[in-house]
Amino acid sequence: MDTSTLDATFAALADPTRRAILARLTRGEASVGELAAPFDMSQPAVSKHLRVLERAGLVSRGRDAQRRPCRLEARPLRDALAWLADFREYWEESYQRLDDLLARLGEQDEQDDP
């Protein structure tokens, strides 16, 4: 996996406004104006967020006459999820070891009780 793409994805996801924009795009294409509506910021400010998302490959813009709808591009998210899956496996194994230890300690406590 290309680390620069992964870096760009996580950098884009670090901002709550960009995460909200991506969440909105899961419901379908939207114009910059539509994306800006729920935020207390100008359309140019939203456009800056969109450029970050575009550079990360998370958003693409089409052309529909005068309208330039934005759409979600999920592949970088899938790649980030694949990268995170290794850590999920690590934590699941760690929790399993903890469960095993707690079970052994519980058995030991039962044996120690008169």
Side-chain angles (χ1 to χ4, degrees):
M1 181 177 314
D2 179 15
T3 59
S4 64
T5 302
L6 193 58
D7 292 346
T9 300
F10 283 118
L13 294 174
D15 185 272
T17 300
R18 291 192 287 267
R19 291 192 305 270
I21 289 170
L22 291 176
R24 164 52 187 89
L25 291 175
T26 63
R27 299 192 316 259
E29 293 182 349
S31 68
V32 174
E34 292 167 333
L35 292 171
F39 302 106
D40 186 24
M41 65 178 67
S42 66
Q43 283 189 9
V46 170
S47 290
K48 286 182 181 182
H49 285 292
L50 287 170
R51 281 193 294 280
V52 172
L53 292 167
E54 281 182 287
R55 281 193 301 270
L58 293 164
V59 168
S60 64
R61 293 193 204 198
R63 183 162 301 280
D64 181 18
Q66 295 296 83
R67 190 170 177 262
R68 295 203 53 207
C70 300
R71 72 180 58 84
L72 176 66
E73 300 293 338
R75 183 180 181 95
L77 293 173
R78 186 182 69 212
D79 293 343
L81 184 60
W83 184 81
L84 288 168
D86 291 337
F87 292 94
R88 180 179 182 160
E89 290 173 19
Y90 167 80
W91 283 110
E92 286 174 354
E93 290 171 6
S94 295
Y95 287 134
Q96 185 58 52
R97 287 193 305 272
L98 179 59
D99 286 344
D100 294 345
L101 175 63
L102 292 173
R104 284 194 309 272
L105 291 173
E107 291 170 5
Q108 191 175 33
D109 282 347
E110 288 176 9
Q111 292 173 358
D112 292 343
D113 286 337

